[in-house]
């Protein structure tokens, strides 16, 4: 979800999907979400992907940029 306020709402959708397995990766920032997406392997199982994607997201720290005057 890339936002800590959306994670609970995203997790509620899991029970609404019956034709596939859904896992919500609780990323809190856009860079974490992008890192997780880049770790996705279409040939891996759902479980292996979830682990790899969360590991990738966990490696992303926080940063900020400021204009120096």
């Amino acid at each position: 979800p890339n936002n800590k306020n959306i994670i609970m709402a995203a997790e509620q959708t899991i029970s609404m999907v019956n034709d596939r397995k859904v896992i919500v990766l609780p990323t809190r920032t856009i860079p974490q979400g992008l890192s997780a997406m880049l770790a996705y392997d279409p040939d891996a199982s759902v479980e292996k992907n979830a682990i790899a994607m969360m590991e990738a997201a966990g490696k992303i720290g926080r940063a900020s940029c400021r204009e120096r005057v």
Side-chain angles (χ1 to χ4, degrees):
N2 303 331
N3 183 318
K4 66 180 181 178
N5 299 317
I6 306 292
I7 293 172
M8 286 178 58
E11 288 173 339
Q12 290 177 353
T13 64
I14 294 171
S15 63
M16 303 166 106
V17 180
N18 299 318
D19 62 338
R20 63 193 73 184
K21 185 167 186 171
V22 175
I23 296 177
V24 174
L25 302 175
T27 59
R28 295 181 181 258
T29 65
I30 292 173
Q32 285 180 334
L34 290 173
S35 180
M37 287 184 352
L38 291 171
Y40 175 75
D41 179 359
D43 297 323
S45 69
V46 173
E47 292 78 13
K48 286 187 180 185
N49 265 320
I51 292 168
M53 293 170 78
M54 282 309 299
E55 285 177 353
K59 292 179 182 176
I60 302 300
R62 290 186 173 230
S64 64
C65 296
R66 294 182 182 223
E67 183 177 343
R68 186 173 183 152
V69 279

